[in-house]
Each structure stands twice: as C-alpha cells, then as structure tokens.
Amino acid sequence: MSSLICKTLHHVRSSVRACSSNYNNLYFIQIHLFSLSSLETTPNQHSFTVNYFINSCGFPSEKALSTSNYVKFETPNKPYFVLAFLENHGFTKTQISNLVRKYPPVILCDPEKTPLLKFQFFKSKGVSSTDVAKILSSAPTVLKRSMENQIIPSFNFFKSFIQSEEETISAIKRNFKLLLVDLQACALPNVEFLREANVLDAKNLFMLKFMSGAFNSTSDRFRKIVNEVKKLGFNPSKLNFVLAVHALKSMSKSTWERKLRFIRSGVCLRMTLLWLLGSIHGV
C-alpha cells in the first residue's frame, strides 16, 4: 500500500513541476492528497471510488455510491490529471462537479484526446474558455460525440445556413444542442421539406437559431407536424407558422390531440397560436 502512495505522490510532484504554480493547482493537489488518506483505510476498490467522488468531486454519498457501480478506479492518478486539466482550462469547481455528475466516465478519459480536441475546436472559432466550460458542463454529451462525424459537420451545416461564423457561435451558445442534431436523418431533410412547403429561409433560420429542437425529429413525424399546421390555417410565409410547428413538436401526442379538439371548436388563429405555445410551458 505504501508503495502505491509513494508512486502517486511522485506523479503529483511531477505534475506540480509541469504546471504553473497557482492557488487552484495547489487546491487540487491538496484534495487528491486527502483522497490518498482514505486509501489507507479503505483498500476496497469500490470504497475508494466512492470516497474519491465524495472528497474530490463533491458528490453526495448516494450519488457517489450509485456512480461507483459503473465507474471504478484503484488510484487517483488518471482522475487527478482530468480534474487538473479541466481546472486549468477555465472550469470552476462547480462546473467540474456538474460535468462529472452528468458524465462520470469523463473522470477516466485521456484529457489530451477527448476534452482537448473539443477545446481546441471551440477556441479556433473564437469561443472563450469561459463559454467552452459552460457548453461542456451544460451539455457533456458533446464530449462523447465524434469531432469528424458530428461536431464539425454540425457546425459547418449551421454556418452555411446562417452564413456567419459569429452568429453561428452565438446560436450554439444559446442552444448547445445544435451540435447534437442528427443532420442526415433529421435536420437536412426537415429543412428541405420546409422549403418545399414554401417556408421562407428567413423563417427556417429563425427556427434553427432559436428552436433547434424542432429539427431533431424524424422526417416522417416532422412532415406530419408541418402538414397539421397547414391544415390549421397557418400561413407558411409568416413567423406564426414556424412557431406553431415548434409548439406541436414540443408536446406529447395526448396533449396535441386535446389541443386540436379545442382548436377545431372554432377559435381564431391568434388564440390558436397562444394555445399551442402554452403547451411548451405545460399549460
């Protein structure tokens, strides 16, 4: 056991020499040295992992216990470098804790391969470290997605549509899920169908920037929603049309049917839209 602790201390000292000396780095070193003390009294791998999540990541005991069922490690070496990497790239302690809670496997990733590639991509687009930390801690699924197959194609798709890299970045900061939309199965065919339905590109752009979830739906379902909105009498050239599409996309089938019964009773179009949009807020 003492040899394991000595080995880990050697890694910590090496990391201190490699990193700049600042309070935050020392904070993480102290936290991980504290975690080592629990290793002496809890040799069981499962107990060590639980203690680590509690002491170093701020997990409640119940969350630490449940997480340790599918994320296990015997030493703090790899988790230390992951947490230190995140801290040195602008993550607050709260953001780090939130990220690990939402996506525990990140604690065992290679920071030079997974988080770093995403950081470099966003930074190359002019996104600040603060905003990158906000994106990744709020939408950790981004870390799991391929740069070549998902992140870069999604960014390029929205950039070609919005025709401004700066506005594309603004749209992504407003809605991180833009990067997770299934382009081939959802976004591309749905945008094309809206064009066929005579929805102006300006209205499509509004939906893409502010209501991207409307496009993250299979083509068949999306077509049914658009056709239903047409039947309700909305004009495809008006903004109300895309708002109604978004509203119908956001509600369950039972809620949809209940609201359609109300609509078919003869209310005016303005009241119809308000009633539809109310579904998004659970009205």
Side-chain angles (χ1 to χ4, degrees), residues 256-274:
W256 181 350
E257 292 174 348
R258 176 169 60 85
K259 290 183 182 291
L260 285 179
R261 285 196 297 271
F262 174 82
I263 291 167
R264 286 165 180 159
S265 66
V267 298
C268 69
L269 198 61
R270 180 179 176 82
M271 287 298 297
T272 298
L273 180 60
L274 291 174

Side-chain angles (χ1 to χ4, degrees), residues 201-240:
D201 276 352
K203 306 303 184 297
N204 282 330
L205 177 58
F206 180 88
M207 286 189 79
L208 284 170
K209 291 172 69 174
F210 298 100
M211 306 173 182
S212 62
F215 290 96
N216 200 16
S217 178
T218 61
S219 296
D220 288 344
R221 181 165 185 257
F222 192 77
R223 286 173 179 265
K224 289 179 181 178
I225 292 171
V226 171
N227 288 331
E228 189 65 50
V229 171
K230 281 184 176 182
K231 292 177 183 178
L232 293 174
F234 287 92
N235 186 340
S237 67
K238 303 295 184 182
L239 181 59
N240 283 353

Side-chain angles (χ1 to χ4, degrees), residues 207 210-214 222 225 229 240-251 276-277 279-280:
M207 286 189 79
F210 298 100
M211 306 173 182
S212 62
F222 192 77
I225 292 171
V229 171
N240 283 353
F241 187 91
V242 296
L243 292 175
V245 170
H246 174 59
L248 284 176
K249 165 68 172 60
S250 302
M251 69 180 72
L276 288 172
L277 291 177
S279 67
I280 300 174

Side-chain angles (χ1 to χ4, degrees), residues 17-276:
R17 288 192 293 268
C19 299
S20 59
S21 296
N22 56 49
Y23 172 79
N24 289 327
N25 283 331
L26 291 176
Y27 169 84
F28 272 101
I29 292 167
Q30 291 168 353
I31 285 292
H32 288 277
L33 287 176
F34 178 70
S35 296
L36 285 176
S37 66
S38 61
L39 183 62
E40 295 183 278
T41 57
T42 57
N44 178 269
Q45 177 187 3
H46 185 76
S47 298
F48 174 80
T49 305
V50 171
N51 285 337
Y52 187 90
F53 280 128
I54 294 172
N55 297 332
S56 299
C57 302
F59 279 28
S61 299
E62 185 176 342
K63 175 65 175 177
L65 183 61
S66 63
T67 303
S68 69
N69 288 327
Y70 55 94
V71 177
K72 296 181 177 67
F73 42 89
E74 297 179 355
T75 73
N77 295 357
K78 183 171 287 187
Y80 164 74
F81 287 113
V82 172
L83 297 188
F85 172 89
L86 294 173
E87 188 269 343
N88 285 329
H89 282 77
F91 277 74
T92 65
K93 297 175 182 64
T94 299
Q95 287 174 327
I96 291 174
S97 180
N98 288 339
L99 173 60
V100 179
R101 290 188 196 198
K102 293 177 181 178
Y103 181 41
V106 73
I107 204 75
L108 298 179
C109 77
D110 182 346
E112 297 298 316
K113 292 182 179 179
T114 305
L116 183 60
L117 291 177
K118 269 69 175 186
F119 269 96
Q120 290 175 334
F121 173 76
F122 286 119
K123 294 288 285 183
S124 71
K125 303 301 180 183
V127 183
S128 68
S129 296
T130 300
D131 284 329
V132 175
K134 187 183 299 183
I135 290 172
L136 296 182
S137 61
S138 300
T141 305
V142 172
L143 286 173
K144 297 189 286 184
R145 298 300 179 87
S146 165
M147 288 294 300
E148 293 75 18
N149 299 327
Q150 178 68 49
I151 306 301
I152 294 176
S154 294
F155 185 90
N156 290 338
F157 167 73
F158 290 112
K159 179 184 174 183
S160 66
F161 201 93
I162 297 173
Q163 297 186 343
S164 166
E165 187 164 284
E166 184 177 352
E167 288 194 26
T168 301
I169 292 169
S170 296
I172 290 171
K173 288 196 291 186
R174 281 193 299 269
N175 190 344
F176 310 139
K177 292 182 180 180
L178 282 173
L179 295 173
L180 306 176
V181 171
D182 189 326
L183 297 180
Q184 298 302 322
C186 301
L188 289 170
N190 292 346
V191 167
E192 186 57 35
F193 182 67
L194 284 175
R195 285 172 173 162
E196 292 173 0
N198 296 319
V199 177
L200 302 179
D201 276 352
K203 306 303 184 297
N204 282 330
L205 177 58
F206 180 88
M207 286 189 79
L208 284 170
K209 291 172 69 174
F210 298 100
M211 306 173 182
S212 62
F215 290 96
N216 200 16
S217 178
T218 61
S219 296
D220 288 344
R221 181 165 185 257
F222 192 77
R223 286 173 179 265
K224 289 179 181 178
I225 292 171
V226 171
N227 288 331
E228 189 65 50
V229 171
K230 281 184 176 182
K231 292 177 183 178
L232 293 174
F234 287 92
N235 186 340
S237 67
K238 303 295 184 182
L239 181 59
N240 283 353
F241 187 91
V242 296
L243 292 175
V245 170
H246 174 59
L248 284 176
K249 165 68 172 60
S250 302
M251 69 180 72
S252 66
K253 183 177 180 180
S254 60
T255 301
W256 181 350
E257 292 174 348
R258 176 169 60 85
K259 290 183 182 291
L260 285 179
R261 285 196 297 271
F262 174 82
I263 291 167
R264 286 165 180 159
S265 66
V267 298
C268 69
L269 198 61
R270 180 179 176 82
M271 287 298 297
T272 298
L273 180 60
L274 291 174
W275 184 249
L276 288 172

